[in-house]
Amino acid sequence: MSDDWVCLFSGGKDSSWALYRALAEGLDVTRLLTVHPAGDSYMYHTPATHLTELVAESVGIDLVSVEPEDFDAGPAGDAAAGERGDAELEPMEAALREIAAEQGVDLAGVTAGAVESEFQTSRIEAMCDRLGVDLFAPLWQEDPEELATAMLDAGFEILIVQVAAYGLDESWLGRPLDREALADLRGLNEEYGVHLLGEGGEFETFVVDGPHMDRRVDLEYETVWEGDRGHVRVTDARLE
């Protein structure tokens, strides 16, 4: 049996970079694992996760999809949020245990795209400890601007699919996260504290192309604006 790795994958830039780096390191990533929350979530990236099926086909790695109940991640105190975060992890851990139990699988570890969230990373680390596997988190505590530049230098094509921060208006929806956008984000960081990688939920992304993909994901969409936040509603998606 080979050492199998599972990539915790949303289709966003961070999990895509973790996958790209894992493959570059020679890790045998045999599955992508996507959790599709029915509503808001403390633990998971939520927009456009249904598109990971196309990315999996483009990358050539099998996809495992997990569709739990609505997490109902509304405002809460630290204790309640912690309990909710633990509960949200349970379906993913169960899926990983099922993968590890499959014949011919020797689960060695999982990849994660966490950058600064101790809330998420500490729980994923604890899950890996329970499973007895390693965690590969190549973005963890790296400089945000250096990470963004590395993604662009590698050839990632990144679209912004959701915004929820002062300074980010409807014009950002569907905008490529390129060098011009990164320069604008620097200004918004200085003026409003917007994180360069959207780590505080300021914006979410989807990677439509990269060096780890054989075919680009072509999207058709409309924008939905709700006064001070908005998202892209994908109306059609296909591999080019």
Side-chain angles (χ1 to χ4, degrees):
M1 294 192 300
S2 62
D3 290 339
D4 294 81
W5 283 76
V6 175
C7 177
L8 308 181
F9 191 72
S10 68
K13 61 181 173 18
D14 299 338
S15 64
S16 296
W17 186 250
L19 170 62
Y20 170 73
R21 286 286 310 281
L23 295 173
E25 292 286 333
L27 301 182
D28 188 13
V29 181
T30 59
R31 290 164 184 79
L32 309 180
L33 176 60
T34 301
V35 177
H36 305 274
D40 290 334
S41 167
Y42 290 119
M43 286 295 298
Y44 303 109
H45 166 116
T46 58
T49 57
H50 64 287
L51 299 175
T52 57
E53 185 174 345
L54 289 174
V55 179
E57 182 179 346
S58 177
V59 177
I61 298 177
D62 290 341
L63 176 69
V64 177
S65 290
V66 178
E67 299 186 7
E69 298 290 331
D70 189 339
F71 291 131
D72 190 26
D78 289 345
E83 291 176 2
R84 175 57 62 185
D86 294 338
E88 289 186 15
L89 206 62
E90 291 174 3
M92 180 166 69
E93 183 170 341
L96 287 167
R97 291 188 183 279
E98 288 184 12
I99 292 170
E102 292 178 13
Q103 185 175 1
V105 172
D106 182 13
L107 184 60
V110 301
T111 78
V115 180
E116 295 177 3
S117 174
E118 187 68 38
F119 181 90
Q120 294 173 322
T121 305
S122 63
R123 284 166 173 78
I124 294 173
E125 286 177 334
M127 178 190 70
C128 289
D129 288 342
R130 289 191 297 271
L131 294 170
V133 300
D134 292 329
L135 173 63
F136 180 69
L139 295 83
W140 180 239
Q141 296 186 334
E142 294 293 323
D143 179 83
E145 185 160 359
E146 290 181 3
L147 280 172
T149 300
M151 293 176 192
L152 297 178
D153 287 347
F156 272 44
E157 185 178 347
I158 306 165
L159 294 185
I160 294 174
V161 296
Q162 181 169 296
V163 298
Y166 200 68
L168 296 175
D169 59 21
E170 189 173 3
S171 69
W172 284 83
L173 294 176
R175 180 176 178 178
L177 182 54
D178 53 17
R179 297 182 197 282
E180 181 180 350
L182 185 57
D184 289 343
L185 286 170
R186 290 191 202 101
L188 292 175
N189 174 262
E190 293 172 2
E191 188 171 359
Y192 303 115
V194 174
H195 194 281
L196 291 179
L197 292 178
E199 180 71 359
E202 294 95 333
F203 62 89
E204 303 282 4
T205 62
F206 180 74
V207 175
V208 297
D209 202 9
H212 57 302
M213 298 169 62
D214 289 335
R215 298 165 66 189
R216 183 182 183 276
V217 180
D218 182 46
L219 298 180
E220 294 181 14
Y221 60 85
E222 56 191 23
T223 61
V224 178
W225 189 248
E226 299 167 331
D228 60 354
R229 62 187 60 216
H231 64 275
V232 162
R233 178 185 293 139
V234 176
T235 56
D236 192 24
R238 67 186 72 85
L239 292 176
E240 292 182 345

